[in-house]
C-alpha cells in the first residue's frame, strides 16, 4: 500500500507538474517582403532625395570648358560626329559614281563596321600597355588627324580595292577614336572630374549627331 501510495503520489506530483507547466510557442510575424517594383521605386526615390551629408555639386560644371585641352577635345568630338554620320550615307553613292558596282559599294559599310569593332576591342589592350600608356594622348591626336586625312582622300579614290582599303582605315581610326575618348578625358582632367567632363563631352557629341546629317544633306539636295 505504501508503495502504491508512493507511486500514486509520484504520479500525482508529475501530473501537477505537467498541468502547471506552460509551453509557449511564439509565432514570428515576419514583415511581408516588398515587391520588386516597390523596391526599384524606393531606389529611384533615394537617388533624387537630397542627402544633407553629401556635398552638393552643380549639375553642369561649365567651368571645365575653360580648360583648353578639354575644350579642344569637345570641339573635335562635335566635328567628328557631325561628319561620321554622313560618311555612312554618302560613301556608297560616291563609290558607285567612281565605277564601283552597287553590290560592292554596299560592302564598304560592312568593312567600316568590322574594322571599327576590331579597333575598339584591341585599342584598349594596346594603349594600356606600360610602354604605350605615357604616349596615349599623342597617339589619340594622331588618330584624330588620321580620320581627317582619310576623309580627304576618299573623293580621289578609284576602284573597289582602293575604297576597301580606305574604308578599313577609316573604320579603324573611328573605332579607336570613339573607344578611347573616356580614357583620354581622365588623362586630361583626372578621375575626380570624370562624371561632369564626360557629360559635357556627350553633349557636344549629341549636337554633332543632330546637325551633321542635316547640314550635309543640304549641299547634296542642291547638286
Amino acid at each position: 500500500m505504501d508503495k502504491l501510495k508512493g507511486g500514486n503520489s509520484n504520479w500525482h506530483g508529475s501530473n501537477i507538474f505537467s498541468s502547471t507547466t506552460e509551453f509557449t510557442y511564439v509565432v514570428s510575424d515576419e514583415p511581408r517582403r516588398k515587391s520588386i517594383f516597390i523596391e526599384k521605386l524606393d531606389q529611384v526615390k533615394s537617388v533624387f532625395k537630397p542627402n544633407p551629408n553629401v556635398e552638393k555639386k552643380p549639375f553642369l560644371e561649365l567651368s571645365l570648358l575653360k580648360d583648353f585641352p578639354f575644350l579642344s577635345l569637345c570641339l573635335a568630338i562635335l566635328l567628328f560626329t557631325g561628319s561620321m554620320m554622313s560618311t555612312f550615307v554618302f560613301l556608297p553613292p560616291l563609290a558607285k559614281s567612281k565605277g564601283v558596282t552597287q553590290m560592292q559599294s554596299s560592302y564598304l559599310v560592312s568593312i567600316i563596321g568590322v574594322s571599327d569593332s576590331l579597333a575598339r576591342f584591341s585599342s584598349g589592350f594596346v594603349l594600356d600597355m606600360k610602354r604605350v600608356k605615357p604616349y596615349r594622348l599623342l597617339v589619340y591626336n594622331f588618330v584624330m588627324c588620321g580620320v581627317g586625312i582619310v576623309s580627304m582622300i576618299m573623293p580621289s579614290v578609284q576602284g573597289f580595292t582602293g575604297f576597301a582599303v580606305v574604308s578599313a582605315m577609316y573604320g579603324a581610326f573611328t573605332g579607336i577614336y570613339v573607344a578611347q575618348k573616356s580614357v583620354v578625358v581622365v588623362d586630361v582632367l583626372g578621375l575626380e572630374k570624370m562624371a561632369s567632363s564626360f557629360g559635357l563631352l556627350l553633349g557636344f557629341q549629341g549636337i554633332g549627331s543632330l546637325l551633321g546629317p542635316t547640314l550635309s544633306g543640304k549641299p547634296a539636295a542642291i547638286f
Side-chain angles (χ1 to χ4, degrees):
M1 292 295 291
D2 293 336
K3 292 182 179 180
L4 292 174
K5 289 182 179 179
N8 190 14
S9 63
N10 291 335
W11 176 84
H12 183 67
S14 62
N15 189 18
I16 294 173
F17 176 77
S18 62
S19 62
T20 56
T21 304
E22 185 176 331
F23 296 95
T24 306
Y25 178 74
V26 179
V27 179
S28 60
D29 188 11
E30 296 182 357
R32 295 179 63 184
R33 184 179 178 183
K34 296 181 179 179
S35 63
I36 298 176
F37 177 76
I38 299 298
E39 290 180 358
K40 296 299 182 181
L41 185 61
D42 292 339
Q43 292 177 3
V44 173
K45 289 181 179 179
S46 64
V47 172
F48 292 97
K49 186 178 180 180
N51 190 351
N53 298 324
V54 179
E55 184 181 357
K56 294 183 178 180
K57 294 183 179 180
F59 183 72
L60 286 177
E61 294 187 20
L62 298 178
S63 59
L64 296 176
L65 297 177
K66 295 180 181 179
D67 190 284
F68 182 73
F70 177 68
L71 179 61
S72 301
L73 181 61
C74 290
L75 294 177
I77 286 289
L78 188 149
L79 297 175
F80 168 74
T81 52
S83 61
M84 183 183 68
M85 300 299 176
S86 304
T87 302
F88 293 97
V89 177
F90 295 107
L91 180 60
L94 175 64
K96 191 176 179 180
S97 64
K98 298 290 184 176
V100 180
T101 63
Q102 185 174 359
M103 182 63 68
Q104 290 177 339
S105 61
S106 63
Y107 291 156
L108 299 177
V109 178
S110 300
I111 293 173
I112 294 177
V114 172
S115 59
D116 181 277
S117 301
L118 294 176
R120 293 191 187 198
F121 181 77
S122 60
S123 62
F125 293 99
V126 176
L127 295 181
D128 201 47
M129 297 173 62
K130 292 183 179 180
R131 295 183 179 181
V132 183
K133 192 173 182 179
Y135 307 100
R136 184 159 51 193
L137 285 175
L138 183 62
V139 173
Y140 197 74
N141 290 329
F142 172 76
V143 169
M144 286 192 290
C145 293
V147 173
I149 293 173
V150 172
S151 299
M152 289 187 294
I153 292 175
M154 279 185 179
S156 59
V157 176
Q158 299 290 334
F160 174 73
T161 303
F163 275 103
V165 173
V166 170
S167 299
M169 294 174 61
Y170 184 83
F173 283 136
T174 54
I176 298 172
Y177 187 72
V178 173
Q180 296 299 311
K181 61 183 177 182
S182 57
V183 181
V184 171
V185 169
V186 175
D187 292 340
V188 173
L189 295 177
L191 186 60
E192 64 278 359
K193 297 181 180 179
M194 171 66 183
S196 300
S197 59
F198 196 68
L200 289 172
L201 193 67
L202 291 180
F204 279 88
Q205 180 177 338
I207 294 173
S209 301
L210 177 65
L211 299 179
T214 304
L215 296 178
S216 60
K218 290 184 178 180
I222 294 175
F223 293 103

